[in-house]
Structure formats: structure tokens, C-alpha cells
């Protein structure tokens, strides 16, 4: 399981390099996919209006507020390691993608259904959603029975995929930016869990 974050980190760095180097085939794929979504959106303006609202479920201020509340609740229940983990995820993910938006020249699609005038790699909304989904899964997994775990995995995955899809549908990001957001969360959140919620010798997660 520890190999997954390492593989995600390697894939993220490779994607980052290709994006920064403006690799032709990657840009062509981004352009083609975005063009298809543009045409679909122009034919379905009512759906785009709904998606404009729905996508903000992962807006950064809401992500930070929800993370802060969850951290305080966990701390109040004396689940201090879980609180530390939640607080770390809440802080680290936006810091990382914000720094990359500052340093990496990666323009977003022009003339989209929403206008955002910052660099786009990786998608902040997608990073937030994927990080929140992973954190929730890691926190709840030990407390659930098998059926609950299946439902949790489906809901967490669907949430992260949904937010990423809305960003591409609205032409707020290239598909590459969204994939980068998923990979960033997958590379960062599990190691934070290991650092802040170390298992004891019996394998149980410390509280």
C-alpha cells in the first residue's frame, strides 16, 4: 500500500515536467478533450449552470472551514492524532497547489464557462476534493464493517471524480490539471497519515 503514494508522486512529477515543458502530445490531448466539453456545454447550458454551483463544493474556503471544524471536533473527542492528521491535510494540500500556481506558468483554457485568471496546474478544487475524500476514508475505514467500507470507497471516489469532472466541463482547467490534482492528493495524504497517525506494535492506529 505504501507503494501507491510513491507511484503517485512519480507520476505527478512526470506530469508536472511534461506540462512545464509544454509537451506537444499532452497539449493536443488536453485541447481535444476540452473542445469536446466546450461543444457539449454549449449544447446544454442548463447543465452548465448547475455545474457552476456544484463545483464549489470543493472551493478552498469551504475546504479550509470543513477541515478546521473536523480538526477541532476530533481534538475535543481526544482523538489527537486524528486531529493532527486532519489539520495537516487541511493546511498542506492548499499550500502545495497554491505554490505551484505561483511558480509554474500553466495557463488555463480561454473562453471557458467560468473565468479564472491564475495558473492552472494542478487543479485546486480537484486537489481539495481528492484530499478530503482520502482523509475521510483513512479516518473512517477502521471503524466500518466490510459493507460500510465498500460504500465509503465508492462515495469517496465518486466525490473526487465528480469535482474533477466539473472543472474540465466548465473549462476552468485542462484535463492534465485535474489529473495532477488527483495525483497530488494521492501522493501527499497517505504519507501524512503515516506521519501523524503511526500504528502501535499491535497494528492498531494510535489515538
Amino acid at each position: 500500500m505504501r507503494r501507491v503514494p510513491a507511484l503517485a508522486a512519480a507520476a505527478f512529477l512526470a506530469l508536472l515536467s511534461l506540462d512545464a515543458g509544454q509537451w506537444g502530445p499532452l497539449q493536443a490531448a488536453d485541447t481535444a478533450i476540452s473542445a469536446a466539453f466546450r461543444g457539449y456545454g454549449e449544447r446544454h447550458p442548463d447543465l452548465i449552470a448547475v455545474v457552476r454551483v456544484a463545483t464549489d463544493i470543493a472551493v478552498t474556503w469551504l475546504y479550509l472551514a470543513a477541515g478546521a471544524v473536523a480538526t477541532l471536533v476530533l481534538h475535543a473527542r481526544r482523538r489527537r492524532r486524528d486531529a493532527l492528521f486532519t489539520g495537516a491535510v487541511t493546511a498542506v494540500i492548499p499550500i502545495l497547489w497554491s505554490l505551484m500556481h505561483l511558480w509554474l506558468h500553466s495557463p488555463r483554457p480561454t473562453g471557458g464557462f467560468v473565468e479564472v485568471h491564475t495558473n492552472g496546474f494542478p487543479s485546486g478544487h480537484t486537489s481539495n476534493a481528492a484530499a478530503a475524500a482520502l482523509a475521510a476514508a483513512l479516518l473512517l475505514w477502521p471503524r466500518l464493517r466490510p459493507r460500510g467500507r465498500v460504500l465509503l470507497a465508492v462515495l469517496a471516489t465518486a466525490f473526487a471524480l465528480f469535482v474533477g469532472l466539473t472543472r474540465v466541463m466548465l473549462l476552468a482547467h485542462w484535463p492534465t490539471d485535474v489529473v495532477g490534482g488527483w495525483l497530488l492528493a494521492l501522493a501527499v495524504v497517505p504519507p501524512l497519515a503515516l506521519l501523524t497517525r503511526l500504528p502501535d506494535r499491535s497494528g492498531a492506529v494510535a489515538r
Side-chain angles (χ1 to χ4, degrees):
M1 187 64 181
R2 295 186 182 185
R3 293 180 181 178
V4 173
L7 291 173
F12 178 83
L13 292 174
L15 191 62
L16 173 63
S17 298
L18 293 174
D19 185 78
Q22 298 182 345
W23 190 49
L26 186 64
Q27 290 189 323
D30 273 345
T31 301
I33 295 171
S34 291
F37 274 104
R38 185 185 298 277
Y40 183 84
E42 289 173 347
R43 294 191 300 271
H44 300 87
D46 292 340
L47 177 61
I48 291 299
V50 173
V51 171
R52 281 197 192 99
V53 177
T55 193
D56 281 341
I57 193 172
V59 72
T60 300
W61 72 264
L62 185 57
Y63 171 82
L64 293 174
V69 169
T71 300
L72 291 173
V73 169
L74 289 169
H75 189 271
R77 293 183 177 181
R78 297 186 178 181
R79 293 172 57 183
R80 292 185 176 86
R81 289 186 181 272
D82 289 347
L84 180 60
F85 166 62
T86 304
V89 172
T90 301
V92 170
I93 291 295
I95 289 173
L96 289 177
W97 65 254
S98 294
L99 288 175
M100 281 180 271
H101 282 196
L102 287 174
W103 295 338
L104 178 65
H105 178 65
S106 180
R108 299 170 188 251
T110 57
F113 300 114
V114 294
E115 288 294 332
V116 187
H117 301 290
T118 60
N119 289 315
F121 185 91
S123 165
H125 280 66
T126 305
S127 300
N128 294 344
L134 274 171
L138 290 171
L139 287 169
L140 296 174
W141 192 269
R143 298 172 175 269
L144 297 176
R145 295 180 179 180
R147 288 185 180 179
R149 290 177 175 181
V150 171
L151 180 60
L152 174 64
V154 170
L155 291 176
T157 302
F159 177 67
L161 291 176
F162 170 75
V163 172
L165 180 62
T166 65
R167 304 313 287 168
V168 179
M169 183 178 292
L170 292 172
L171 304 179
H173 284 283
W174 300 108
T176 297
D177 302 338
V178 168
V179 174
W182 288 328
L183 290 174
L184 177 65
L186 191 57
V188 172
V189 174
L192 287 178
L194 288 175
L195 289 172
T196 59
R197 302 171 66 243
L198 294 175
D200 62 23
R201 292 181 181 177
S202 68
V205 174
R207 298 300 177 196

